[in-house]
Amino acid sequence: MSSEAAKGQEAMKISDYPAAVKHYTAALKTLQSPVWLIQRSIALHRTGEYALSLEDADNALLASIGRQKRELIATSQFRRGVALHGLGRYGDARLCFLWCNKRNDKEKGLTMWMAKVKLDYEKAGGESAECNQTTVKEVPDMVEEAKKEKETTEKKTTAASVTPAAQTPTPKEKVRTEWYQSAATVTIEIFAKGVPKESAEVQIEESSLDVSFPIGAGSSYDYSLTPLFSKIDAAKSTFRITPHKIEIVLHKSHPGLKWSALEGTELAPSTAESESSSKVPAELLASKPTETAPVYPTSSRNGPKNWDKVIDDGAEESEGIDDFFKKLYGSADPDTKRAMMKSYQESGGTSLSTDWKDVKSKTFEISPPEGMEAKKWNS
């Protein structure tokens, strides 16, 4: 109920009829309710405004007929009769009460008013009296406020015919999906009515698809494919939301590849990873073949001889202590070389030092290994 109508109702309870008229008038600016018209008709009658009371009763009757409200039609006829009685039109009042009785013989106050109008009718002189003549129609001509109400209704009807009605959202358990593919694309359709475009979320990634939208109060529908059967071109992929479904078109990264399902079993590598791996030369990815020496026929019981191994073994045996010192000396810096030469020469080959700071001020003595004796050779 309108707040103004509620105030009007409270004013009626305390018999403040002018206030009731004021509040119902404000309420009727928003809606031509037959109930509010009837209430204002009552308030106007009790303030002595019989003509205005009749006008409201007529409008209430027209509004009630439009809504096919039988009880309100009867009440409106009753209020017409009461207003007409106030105007001294007893013949018309009598007819309105009869029409009310035909619709609802239990209308509150009807019996009393029918008796009252009968008495006044007879007092006025019966059928011959001018005030008892009948000119009223069972359905009144449309009065000004009723015309406005009709025009407003027609405008709303026209607007409704132009603007499509809001779709009732599909229940969550009845949402269904279908998909099909071509050589270049995969199309997914989610059949759900009334999906709000402003609230729906569709995220298309290279290897995944996520869809979410509200469906009913406090609930949402979620659809996820992770990973997809194969990589897609997310930049080219599109979606659109219609009143009946969400249509998603995924562009394949590998046109011509037939998808056997929407989801794969392993996450497809990203494009960056694929490009990185494609830059590695194939010859480096392949294992290097082992080079082997030719094998020659032999009558040996032990099979063919591996001459490469024989050569390698001989080389290892020939590398003695002298070769080690040569390598050490060759890679040393000048101070290390001086230290090695001084310590080796002064000790007669029995000592070797690489620390020049220690060697430069030190004299080395010949120190043969235990069990051996140093001898000087004559030149």
Side-chain angles (χ1 to χ4, degrees), residues 316-346:
E316 289 176 4
E317 291 174 1
S318 66
E319 290 182 359
I321 190 67
D322 290 340
D323 293 314
F324 170 73
F325 286 133
K326 286 179 182 179
K327 290 179 181 179
L328 181 62
Y329 184 81
S331 61
D333 57 56
D335 285 343
T336 301
K337 288 180 179 180
R338 284 199 296 269
M340 290 176 69
M341 289 296 294
K342 185 175 185 297
S343 61
Y344 189 77
Q345 290 176 352
E346 289 183 358

Side-chain angles (χ1 to χ4, degrees), residues 96-140:
C96 288
F97 290 142
L98 290 173
W99 291 328
C100 173
N101 186 67
K102 186 170 62 174
R103 294 278 183 175
N104 181 17
D105 59 0
K106 292 182 174 59
E107 178 71 35
K108 185 178 179 181
L110 177 61
T111 303
M112 182 194 72
W113 274 98
M114 288 184 74
K116 182 176 178 61
V117 78
K118 181 181 179 182
L119 182 61
D120 291 337
Y121 180 89
E122 291 174 352
K123 281 184 179 180
E127 294 182 3
S128 59
E130 185 178 352
C131 61
N132 292 340
Q133 301 303 306
T134 56
T135 58
V136 71
K137 297 178 181 178
E138 185 174 2
V139 178

Side-chain angles (χ1 to χ4, degrees), residues 113-174:
W113 274 98
M114 288 184 74
K116 182 176 178 61
V117 78
K118 181 181 179 182
L119 182 61
D120 291 337
Y121 180 89
E122 291 174 352
K123 281 184 179 180
E127 294 182 3
S128 59
E130 185 178 352
C131 61
N132 292 340
Q133 301 303 306
T134 56
T135 58
V136 71
K137 297 178 181 178
E138 185 174 2
V139 178
D141 294 330
M142 193 174 293
V143 291
E144 193 61 30
E145 289 194 24
K147 286 180 181 178
K148 291 180 182 178
E149 170 69 6
K150 184 179 179 183
E151 289 173 1
T152 303
T153 304
E154 287 175 350
K155 287 179 181 178
K156 289 180 179 179
T157 304
T158 304
S161 64
V162 174
T163 306
Q167 290 282 349
T168 302
T170 302
K172 190 173 184 178
E173 63 275 8
K174 292 188 177 181

